[in-house]
Structures are given as structure tokens and as C-alpha cells.
Amino acid sequence: MSDSAHLLKKAIKHGEFFNLYQPLINASDKQIMGAEVLMRWQHPAEGLKNPITFIPEAEEKGFINKMTSQQLKNCYDELRPILIQNPDFIVTINISSNHLLDAKSVRELIHYKGLIPNLVLEVTEDVLVDGNDDRIQKAFIKLTAAGIDIAIDDFGTGYCGLHYLGQLPVKYLKADKCFIASIGTDSINSHVLEMIVGLSKKLNLITIAEGVETPQQVAHLDILGVEIHQGWHYNRAMPANELIHYIELTKQQVTESEEHLKVVGTVSE
Ligand code: C2E
Ligand code: CA
Ligand code: CA
């Protein structure tokens, strides 16, 4: 086994991978309606590592399924207080062909759907193209039968065959960051964003904009009618305890402003 594979194996054993959660914002009231689960590695020698530095290798060396398995367990344990109060809270996780090709992973996802009612799987377009593989097709059929929803991640950047949209129970299109970054420029990407949102609406899908960083982008996405926003303009990915605290705080603020409106209303009557 190579050094890096050995390190990944050890990291799984020692529980060095952990979850951060980035809020999904309901565009209509700007409240948190869910979160994407993102992985980090607290490496004993190198410190905090971003997923881009270890996920591709974990996929290639066959460790990703075990890592996602730990991730789901942690996710359920950590988000339970939110899920008890709001079972509709959307929880999206990133999965790849490795998961779909593994019967145990598919069973596990179905098991967690029972615990996290609005569990959504984010898959990139290349995974859907692999859908020509019989086993992947069958996995999607099982997951769908269990009521699990699919989001297409990084939409617009991958293989551009759209036939799968009609064949799979896709519910969300996540427009890639590069299209959001193009807002306010007159690059081709800004037109592609309009096309993506138009397509999504035509197909009765829900659009998620990722990488939302500025108020100008928010305003433009609101004009386009994009339903869900995600990005640093709202929040960075954060640990579960911060997310729970943040949700409590915003709930309190909403209640206070409703109370305030009631008082103002009474006074002016
Ligand atoms: P992704 O699935 O497209 O995840 C979104 C990435 O965009 C995250 O990076 C997030 O922190 C970042 N991001 C969020 N808001 C903004 C913003 O406003 N501006 C910019 N520039 N970036 C923003 P992160 O956490 O470093 O993840 C990178 C990629 O690693 C993910 O891209 C995903 O492909 C993969 N990944 C992350 N966590 C997991 C995981 O648990 N499992 C698997 N299989 N892949 C994961
Ligand atoms: Ca994602
Ligand atoms: Ca993405």
C-alpha cells in the first residue's frame, strides 16, 4: 500500500475527517432551509486539509465509501437537534460513482434517508453519464424508490448531454460558481446562467446558485427567480454547533421583528 493510501486508512481509523456545513438559503425569505455537508481532514502533521487535496485520491484508492459512511453518521448525530425541530431541513451530501457501484453504500444511504427525511444526493454530470452502466441505473432506481432526491452539482460544467434529465428523478440543479461569478459581466457565462435557470423552470426543477458572494449577485439571482442560494455572502461552511447556534439566533431575530411589527401595527391602528 502506498504511503498516502496508508495515511488515508489511518485517518479513517482515527476519525480525523470531520464535517462542516454550509447553509442553503431560501431566496424568498433569506432564511436557512438546509445545508451542504462538506468534509475536512484534521491531518496530525499538516493541519487542516481541504477536500480538493484528498477526495480525488480517496475516490481513486477506494476509501471514499468508508469516509462517507462516517460522514453520514456524524452528520446525523450532529444535526439531530435541527432535524427534531425541522424534519424538512435539507441535508445535501456529495456522492460519486463509487457509492452507486457499492450495494452496501446504497443500503446505507437508504438507511439514513429514514433518519434524515430530506436527504439529497449531490452528483456531478459525469456520474449521470456513467448511468449507462447498468449497476448505476439500478442504484438510482433503488434510491429513488426510497424517496431520495438528486441534485446535479456543478451543473453546466460537465458533459453536456441532457437526456438524463428526463430519465432520472432529478429535483435540483446547482448552477456552478463560475456562472454566478459571471453576473454583472457580459461574458457568455452570464447568458448561460439565464439559460440554466430557464431550463430548470421549464423542467419544474429547483435551482440552487452556489458561490454567491455579493449583494449584486443576490439581487440578480432574485430577478431570475433562483429559489435557493449558497455562498460566502451568507455564510462560509461551519461546524454543526455554530450552525445550530446561528439558526437559533436568526429564528429569534425573526420572532423579535414579527413582535415589533405587531406592536407598530397596534400603535398605528
Ligand atoms: P462542491 O461540492 O462544489 O462544494 C462547494 C465548494 O464551494 C466548497 O468547497 C465550498 O466551501 C465552496 N464555496 C462555498 N461558497 C463559496 C463562495 O461563495 N465562493 C467560493 N469561491 N467558494 C465557495 P470545499 O468545501 O473546499 O469543497 C471542494 C470540493 O470537494 C466540493 O466541491 C466537492 O466536490 C468536494 N467535497 C467536499 N466535501 C466532500 C465530501 O464530503 N464528499 C465528497 N465526495 N466530496 C466532497
Ligand atoms: Ca457539492
Ligand atoms: Ca458544486
Side-chain angles (χ1 to χ4, degrees), residues 112-123:
Y112 277 99
K113 162 75 182 168
L115 303 172
I116 306 172
N118 217 342
L119 180 67
V120 175
L121 308 183
E122 295 197 10
V123 294

Side-chain angles (χ1 to χ4, degrees), residues 183-194:
I183 290 172
T185 69
D186 63 356
S187 69
I188 290 188
N189 274 356
S190 68
H191 301 298
V192 177
L193 176 64
E194 286 182 27

Side-chain angles (χ1 to χ4, degrees), residues 23-96:
L24 298 169
I25 308 294
N26 184 342
S28 59
D29 60 6
K30 303 294 185 276
Q31 297 298 304
I32 298 177
M33 64 186 303
E36 177 175 6
V37 191
L38 295 160
M39 201 181 286
R40 296 291 181 270
W41 181 2
Q42 191 60 54
H43 191 288
E46 295 172 28
L48 186 63
K49 284 175 77 95
N50 276 328
I52 215 75
T53 65
F54 61 86
I55 295 275
E57 185 160 23
E59 286 181 347
E60 193 193 318
K61 301 265 162 67
F63 293 112
I64 192 71
N65 294 3
K66 183 78 194 140
M67 287 156 67
T68 305
S69 177
Q70 286 186 349
Q71 176 178 57
L72 278 163
K73 182 182 181 310
N74 293 340
C75 174
Y76 176 60
D77 289 347
E78 292 174 345
L79 295 191
R80 211 165 349 175
I82 297 177
L83 295 168
I84 289 169
Q85 289 211 355
N86 178 12
D88 290 335
F89 192 81
I90 300 171
V91 177
T92 76
I93 66 156
N94 294 281
I95 65 151
S96 61

